[in-house]
Amino acid sequence: MATQTIGTSRRRNGVSAAAPARATTTTKVNGPRTFNIVAGIVLGVFAVLWLIPSAWAIKTSLVSNETASLGADAILRDTDPTLHSYATLLQSGQLWNWYLASFITSAGTVVLTVVFGSMAAYAISRLRFRGRQLVFVLILAGIMIPAQVLIVPIFQELEAVGLLNTYWSVIFPQVPAVIAVFIFKQFFDGLPREMEEAARIDGAGLWRTYWSVIMPLSRPVIAAVSILTFVSVWNNLILPLFVLSNPDLMTIPVGLATVQGSYGQRFADIQASAVLGALPLVVLYLLFQRRIVEGVTGSGIKG
Amino acid sequence: MTAQTLTPPAEATTQTRDRTVKLPDGKAAWLFLAPFGIFYVLFLIGPTLYMFVVSFFNTSIVQPGLGGFAGIANYAEMLTRADFWSAMWHTLQFTLYTVPPLVILAFVFAVLANRVQRGQWFFRLAFFVPFVLPSACISLIWVFLFTPATGLWPQFQSLLGFTQTAVLADPTWAMVGIAVATIWWTIGFNFVLYLAGLQDIPRELYEAAAVDGASPWHQIRYLTIPLLRRTTTLVILLQIIASLKIFDQVYLMTNGGPGISTQVALGLITGTAFTDYRVGAASAASVLLFIVIVVIAVIRQLFDRAEERKA
Amino acid sequence: MTTSPSGPRGWSRRSFLSGALAAGGLGAAGALSGCGSPLAAGIAGTPLNPGTVTFWNLFGGGDGARLQTMLDQYMAEHGGSSSLQAATFAWGNPYYTKVSLATLGDKPPDVAVAHLTRSQNLATAGLLQPITDDMLSLVGLSSTDFTPSVWENQQVDGTSYAIPLDTHPLVLFYNKQVCEQAGLLDGDGKLTPIAGIEQWEAALTAAKEVTGEYAVSYSNVADFATPWRVFQTFYQQHAGATPFLGDGGTELTVDEDAAMDTLAYIRRMSDQGWLPSAADYAGAQTLMFTGQSAFYLEGEWEITTAQAIEDLDFGMVTVPQLFDKPAVQADSHTFVLPAMERTPEQMELAMGFIKSMLDQSLTWAEGGHIPSYLPTLDSPEYAALTPQSDYASSADIAVYDAQAWYSGSGSTFENTVGAQIGLVQQQLATPEQAMAQIRSQLSVYLDTPSPL
């Protein structure tokens, strides 16, 4: 029976052989050539269609605001690209504050999630203690809690301790990413025990074993979790939207959301801000395509 | 788009032998669990419990404390409020508009992509890159596309000789517009999932079928689709759960408008809490939505386990 | 003077936490990057931009551009762009939500714009700093510098929370070319005053003959505020008109007869073809700009848009009294100080900013608004402004929306009722149906205890 991918790549413990991501696989089908050619054309048409909205945004960002407000026709006919919108945005300083906020909150969450999540996973996977099953089940239950629906009580909690309008208010609620614990646990379960036993015999304590033996072996998983957490936090809107109200502290998505209301008819500027907001992640995608795709198929984390 | 998780398969039976043997790691284990556990309790369990409690009070965001006891008044209000049900309906509507295309189109694209020899990187780029973008970006892009009269879409309509539709300003079409933007945004995820699933199907099966005289259509219909049943069901359940949590695109593209014709559950909840200041009532609505989502998530878990045991 | 503002949850905890974090070494980050920087604020909760005035507003379009010139003036006088940081947010509920949450989150702007009807709610919620005579005198202001009715209206329980900038009523725009052809202008080229329904309908008939299309237009598509304003104006002109909501918003005290009469009249205007049944914001004004309608009902702020139309000769006048008494719907823009701890320097900076804006009231008035700042209102320069002077008397007959926690400009009340009024105009609902819908949709809010 053909195995299903999701189970398979999980059983590969996240160190997927990147088979799904490569162009050549074992299952290329050499059906009738015409069918394949037609398939290629149809798909090509859709792919081009799919590229249009982004291309349009980029094109618009390269015309002047006046041209952009004249309409699609004017934008299409424009042959004089200008970086004016980008200059305005990058010089205003506000965008840099947003990049800073996004970067700090994303990186901060990644660090805490990776460290704390792997620690918890290590305990569940490797350590023997009473209540282990119970803990595992409890954490499993957490996966079913839709965190977004908790925005109201989380807001109140953060307000009560005075953390609103700080980066922590964005970081803390996103640290308990149960899926990260699962991914690490899955991976740890598949690691051979010899190395740990060797380390224990050498007198290493649990922490050293965890930090110096297990974690270095876990680089691929750490990378996958890091990237996916980074993207997920970067793209989160609902939480920072309500806990960060000051424009100087906003993350990129929140800043862009307010741009829409406040830039008026400056269409070129608006599209340029969309491009600039997307840029870091597109770069991230181009650099880490494989890992991102692996992570998606292997663990199903969605931003 | 929402934070969404797939559950890893249920564990193979764990080593229960440990329990009867001495458990040396007890204290250390709790130390390892503590940091994550603290955040888990503070920001997942705690808020859930608090939400349940507050829903029984007339808590206000600008007043200290829990406010007056309301009993089930908040629930009664929500369940009898026309705009609560319309918000739930719009949430469902959004699900209906997006799930079939996201599943079917992604499947079609993946099947086609699997057949094409070269250029997979291009298709992946085209379909998947939107997926990594923040919702705010795609909203700016699509609101601009839909700008009445001067946007690319209305002008395209004119070009083809149709009357222009001000998509996001029209109660009939606004949700469609949001759905289209969402499909463009997130299809990459399903596309990649399906592609991976397809590439796991052994080539021999197709070759055997081809030898037997099966056309490509036949192969797809009788081989591919059945073999991907599990992926499909997973994708559908994932999409449904994600759609129930919809907030970003609606807030950004129409803010629930025109009027309240696209307002969804989370939009109503945050509006009640942060604009009307009524946290108690918002919590009641949150609890109701929470229950619906958890029920479906449980169904997904059960399904997942059943499939695991079968495979 | 550092006034301790009334805050909802106790301010000492917040300062303690900030202090603790700062003391705990995270202040090092602040030292590295500058104490007022976002980095420090985001990590340690330190104040943002202490030497700068932060100002939030909701003015887009023509108002936004006009405000910008005023802000530029302030910056020029106070040492450049580092003296002021202004942010504009989307009009209506999104703006007020942002201001409220920012205040709750201890990072509000120094000064914010608020509609008078909304400032009352913000004040009752404890989100605003009371404005005392001492604070006014810091910059040479006093309560007598403002139009008395407006100053009184902004108070809540006798305490002031808002410094009025303007009153912005609904006005009647008219296309002079069309009106001339319809014989509606007097010897000076201004609209002959219209008093009472007969004269109004005569004018509409004459106008429609000239335009061949409509006589009067106003927007009701994707716009709930305008239908409400028109309704409120004509409703309040009835002798028996009571406030729509009573007792702080727990009772529907609208006078049924007057309301039905008003809705029926709106329906009549659209039935007779004088009023288009459906028009969006831009469409409604374009009708008047291009001579397809003689009259246009909207807030006076559209003067900037109208002035930008070439070859358009237009005038503005107070909305005619069609019924028993003169009345016109209006709201006022005010400056408020969100509740937070302010040092004496910050207080001075904030008040100084407000004073600077008030001093530039004439610029603001050029955008159509009626100044509430008496030195400007009573000045010869303002009197010389036309067509502003033609409707300046609107301020005396202005009626504000009834006070309720869910009411005010851009509020849920306005959206709910305005939507139904728009449907009547679109001939999609009868007055009875509209009133029934209003009653049912508002019942949730009527029965809910105020969260303020």
Side-chain angles (χ1 to χ4, degrees):
Chain A
M1 202 56 214
T3 50
Q4 297 299 322
T5 308
I6 304 204
T8 316
S9 11
R10 284 203 206 103
R11 286 188 201 106
R12 286 188 206 137
N13 295 313
V15 189
S16 123
R22 291 241 186 91
T24 54
T25 72
T26 56
T27 60
K28 267 294 155 284
V29 183
N30 287 325
R33 295 255 179 245
T34 36
F35 185 85
N36 290 355
I37 293 175
V38 168
I41 294 177
V42 169
L43 196 62
V45 166
F46 272 108
V48 167
L49 267 178
W50 236 255
L51 289 171
I52 289 180
S54 328
W56 188 243
I58 296 175
K59 178 84 171 80
T60 308
S61 70
L62 295 172
V63 307
S64 69
N65 279 315
E66 291 74 32
T67 317
S69 58
L70 288 176
D73 210 47
I75 297 172
L76 260 178
R77 293 187 201 287
D78 184 279
T79 49
D80 210 4
T82 162
L83 289 177
H84 183 99
S85 294
Y86 291 101
T88 317
L89 290 169
L90 292 171
Q91 279 164 14
S92 79
Q94 197 64 287
L95 195 68
W96 296 107
N97 287 335
W98 298 344
Y99 275 140
L100 181 73
S102 278
F103 182 75
I104 291 183
T105 51
S106 300
T109 313
V110 164
V111 167
L112 294 179
T113 302
V114 165
V115 173
F116 294 163
S118 61
M119 280 168 65
Y122 180 64
I124 299 176
S125 167
R126 281 300 201 248
L127 304 184
R128 296 175 298 227
F129 59 98
R130 201 150 40 145
R132 185 171 144 206
Q133 274 299 80
L134 179 63
V135 167
F136 186 57
V137 166
L138 275 181
I139 296 192
L140 178 91
I143 273 211
M144 288 188 285
I145 297 182
Q148 283 201 321
V149 182
L150 300 177
I151 178 68
V152 175
I154 285 179
F155 176 90
Q156 289 191 283
E157 236 183 67
L158 294 167
E159 188 199 355
V161 295
L163 277 178
L164 286 180
N165 278 306
T166 64
Y167 298 140
W168 308 113
S169 64
V170 177
I171 294 176
F172 287 166
Q174 301 192 76
V175 167
V178 180
I179 191 68
V181 174
F182 270 119
I183 296 175
F184 278 117
K185 177 193 177 300
Q186 200 83 32
F187 180 73
F188 293 159
D189 281 348
L191 286 180
R193 293 191 178 244
E194 292 83 40
M195 299 198 60
E196 284 166 270
E197 282 163 11
R200 292 267 210 145
I201 289 170
D202 280 348
L206 281 176
W207 176 262
R208 270 215 59 181
T209 317
Y210 158 79
W211 190 253
S212 314
V213 176
I214 300 290
M215 286 304 267
L217 287 177
S218 313
R219 285 223 177 89
V221 199
I222 294 178
V225 170
S226 300
I227 290 169
L228 291 163
T229 306
F230 191 90
V231 172
S232 166
V233 174
W234 187 283
N235 288 347
N236 190 342
L237 177 73
I238 190 171
L239 177 66
L241 182 68
F242 293 111
V243 303
L244 298 175
S245 344
N246 199 295
D248 283 345
L249 297 170
M250 289 175 178
T251 57
I252 288 261
V254 183
L256 292 182
T258 57
V259 156
Q260 197 162 282
S262 59
Y263 275 23
Q265 305 278 302
R266 292 154 49 189
F267 292 125
D269 288 354
I270 294 177
Q271 297 305 301
S273 68
V275 171
L276 287 175
L279 209 55
L281 292 165
V282 174
V283 167
L284 206 71
Y285 170 77
L286 294 173
L287 288 177
F288 296 110
Q289 278 187 59
R290 259 182 47 186
R291 291 250 177 260
I292 293 180
V293 172
E294 270 168 34
V296 160
T297 54
S299 63
I301 287 188
K302 193 167 170 180
Chain B
M1 208 161 60
T2 60
Q4 203 196 49
T5 56
L6 257 187
T7 312
E11 274 203 304
T13 47
T14 55
Q15 313 86 314
T16 50
R17 292 169 280 161
D18 305 318
R19 292 255 186 76
T20 56
V21 189
K22 66 174 164 66
L23 305 165
D25 298 324
K27 196 165 141 217
W30 291 106
L31 286 176
F32 270 88
L33 285 170
F36 185 83
I38 291 175
F39 281 94
Y40 183 79
V41 166
L42 280 182
F43 292 103
L44 221 49
I45 303 295
T48 307
L49 296 174
Y50 186 63
M51 176 181 75
F52 275 94
V53 167
V54 166
S55 67
F56 295 106
F57 289 84
N58 281 323
T59 317
S60 158
I61 213 172
V62 291
Q63 299 291 347
L66 279 176
F69 183 67
I72 56 165
N74 288 326
Y75 288 97
E77 174 196 328
M78 285 299 159
L79 290 171
T80 53
R81 219 171 117 158
D83 58 349
F84 173 77
W85 289 109
S86 83
M88 291 305 248
W89 161 242
H90 295 141
T91 312
L92 182 63
Q93 199 183 16
F94 174 78
T95 311
L96 291 173
Y97 284 176
T98 53
V99 173
L102 276 172
V103 172
I104 296 173
L105 266 185
F107 177 77
V108 167
F109 290 170
V111 165
L112 294 178
N114 203 29
R115 297 244 166 199
V116 172
Q117 302 284 36
R118 280 181 291 227
Q120 289 240 325
W121 67 269
F122 172 69
F123 299 122
R124 224 179 32 249
L125 186 88
F127 295 124
F128 192 75
V129 164
F131 180 74
V132 297
L133 303 183
S135 56
C137 286
I138 70 119
S139 147
L140 291 183
I141 293 174
W142 280 89
V143 166
F144 182 60
L145 270 174
F146 285 138
T147 310
T150 55
L152 187 63
W153 172 251
Q155 299 247 318
F156 180 68
Q157 282 179 304
S158 292
L159 198 68
L160 294 183
F162 295 108
T163 41
Q164 296 184 344
T165 326
V167 176
L168 298 175
D170 188 328
T172 331
W173 292 104
M175 191 51 100
V176 175
I178 294 176
V180 167
T182 306
I183 293 168
W184 178 82
W185 183 30
T186 58
I187 202 169
F189 176 76
N190 297 343
F191 173 70
V192 157
L193 272 185
Y194 270 128
L195 206 55
L198 282 171
Q199 289 167 349
D200 254 16
I201 298 178
R203 195 183 186 189
E204 297 78 46
L205 288 178
Y206 287 112
E207 286 175 351
V211 160
D212 281 349
S215 72
W217 299 112
H218 270 104
Q219 291 174 31
I220 293 173
R221 205 170 142 209
Y222 295 110
L223 267 185
T224 316
I225 294 183
L227 286 175
L228 287 181
R229 201 178 55 89
R230 189 184 170 201
T231 311
T232 305
T233 319
L234 225 47
V235 162
I236 290 178
L237 283 170
L238 266 181
Q239 288 298 151
I240 292 178
I241 295 180
S243 310
L244 290 173
K245 296 190 279 185
I246 177 73
F247 173 80
D248 293 14
Q249 300 92 293
V250 173
Y251 176 84
L252 293 167
M253 294 176 77
T254 60
N255 203 14
I260 52 164
S261 58
T262 55
Q263 186 62 295
V264 289
L266 261 180
L268 180 77
I269 288 171
T270 50
T272 308
F274 299 123
T275 304
D276 287 350
Y277 302 153
R278 299 175 58 218
V279 168
S283 297
S286 304
V287 167
L288 294 172
L289 181 67
F290 184 88
I291 290 174
V292 170
I293 294 180
V294 166
V295 163
I296 299 189
V298 167
I299 293 177
R300 194 196 91 198
Q301 287 285 83
L302 294 175
F303 175 81
D304 215 27
R305 292 221 196 180
E307 286 295 308
E308 279 283 316
R309 283 195 200 108
K310 264 195 250 170
Chain C
M1 113 206 103
T2 314
T3 47
S4 16
S6 51
R9 284 191 198 263
W11 301 87
S12 54
R13 220 177 323 166
R14 249 171 283 233
S15 352
F16 175 76
L17 188 65
S18 317
L21 280 174
L26 289 169
L32 283 174
S33 52
C35 245
S37 74
L39 184 65
I43 292 180
T46 55
L48 276 167
N49 307 311
T52 310
V53 176
T54 46
F55 171 60
W56 290 5
N57 66 85
L58 37 52
F59 296 128
D63 275 351
R66 198 167 301 276
L67 177 75
Q68 193 56 52
T69 46
M70 293 163 70
L71 297 179
D72 290 339
Q73 176 76 7
Y74 175 83
M75 287 193 276
E77 285 169 5
H78 290 83
S81 57
S82 61
S83 60
L84 175 70
Q85 210 195 36
T88 308
F89 296 100
W91 190 92
N93 275 341
Y95 171 75
Y96 288 107
T97 308
K98 266 272 174 293
V99 172
S100 306
L101 292 182
T103 311
L104 289 172
D106 205 26
K107 285 274 181 302
D110 290 312
V111 181
V113 166
H115 289 95
L116 189 146
T117 50
R118 301 296 289 255
S119 73
Q120 293 165 328
N121 289 336
L122 290 172
T124 315
L127 296 173
L128 298 182
Q129 173 138 8
I131 296 180
T132 62
D133 291 331
D134 288 338
M135 287 163 63
L136 291 173
S137 58
L138 261 182
V139 285
L141 287 171
S142 93
S143 57
T144 52
D145 287 328
F146 302 96
T147 313
S149 58
V150 183
W151 185 259
E152 261 183 62
N153 269 316
Q154 58 84 12
Q155 292 187 325
V156 176
D157 291 337
T159 317
S160 289
Y161 291 92
I163 298 178
L165 171 67
D166 68 38
T167 304
H168 47 275
L170 188 76
V171 297
L172 187 73
F173 292 80
Y174 59 95
N175 183 315
K176 283 195 178 176
Q177 288 144 332
V178 172
C179 287
E180 188 171 22
Q181 286 177 45
L184 298 170
L185 299 184
D186 65 12
D188 298 322
K190 300 229 169 136
L191 191 69
T192 21
I194 297 174
I197 286 207
E198 284 98 29
Q199 290 187 15
W200 170 247
E201 297 202 347
L204 292 180
T205 317
K208 187 174 163 77
E209 252 172 85
V210 170
T211 67
E213 295 241 14
Y214 301 106
V216 60
S217 63
Y218 65 85
S219 94
N220 65 339
V221 171
D223 181 2
F224 305 120
T226 310
W228 160 252
R229 293 189 184 120
V230 173
F231 169 87
Q232 169 80 327
T233 301
F234 292 134
Y235 166 75
Q236 290 289 341
Q237 287 182 357
H238 285 71
T242 45
F244 208 100
L245 297 171
D247 199 18
T250 53
E251 271 186 67
L252 201 59
T253 51
V254 62
D255 183 282
E256 289 278 339
D257 296 329
M260 290 296 213
D261 196 50
T262 314
L263 286 173
Y265 193 71
I266 291 176
R267 181 65 184 262
R268 173 175 160 75
M269 285 198 286
S270 122
D271 280 341
Q272 293 285 325
W274 293 323
L275 174 72
S277 57
D280 67 5
Y281 200 86
Q285 51 184 204
T286 310
L287 284 174
M288 190 275 279
F289 295 162
T290 54
Q292 292 168 286
S293 161
F295 300 112
Y296 169 57
L297 284 165
E298 193 41 270
E300 25 77 330
W301 52 81
E302 284 305 318
I303 186 180
T304 313
T305 322
Q307 284 170 336
I309 309 285
E310 288 177 27
D311 308 326
L312 175 67
D313 206 6
F314 74 98
M316 296 161 70
V317 82
T318 308
V319 178
Q321 176 192 337
L322 300 187
F323 299 97
D324 312 308
K325 55 181 164 84
V328 70
Q329 193 272 354
D331 204 337
S332 290
H333 292 121
T334 67
F335 293 109
V336 294
L337 297 173
M340 69 173 179
E341 288 174 20
R342 289 185 173 81
T343 63
E345 293 79 36
Q346 283 175 304
M347 180 65 75
E348 265 200 69
L349 276 178
M351 293 303 296
F353 172 78
I354 297 177
K355 179 69 167 42
S356 168
M357 292 294 109
L358 290 173
D359 286 336
Q360 300 182 63
S361 286
L362 193 65
T363 313
W364 191 245
E366 283 163 13
H369 308 293
I370 303 175
S372 304
Y373 188 51
L374 291 177
T376 309
L377 184 64
D378 298 335
S379 70
E381 290 91 349
Y382 179 71
L385 280 182
T386 50
Q388 281 86 335
S389 43
D390 292 337
Y391 60 86
S393 58
S394 299
D396 302 323
I397 56 172
V399 182
Y400 292 96
D401 294 353
Q403 220 228 315
W405 63 269
Y406 53 93
S407 173
S409 283
S411 66
T412 311
F413 170 81
E414 208 173 78
N415 292 343
T416 310
V417 179
Q420 292 305 315
I421 298 168
L423 288 179
V424 170
Q425 180 187 342
Q426 286 184 60
Q427 299 158 353
L428 293 175
T430 64
E432 291 77 23
Q433 289 168 333
M435 277 311 290
Q437 272 297 316
I438 288 174
R439 232 176 273 116
S440 113
Q441 286 182 29
L442 284 183
S443 63
V444 175
Y445 294 95
L446 290 169
D447 298 334
T448 309
S450 167
L452 299 178

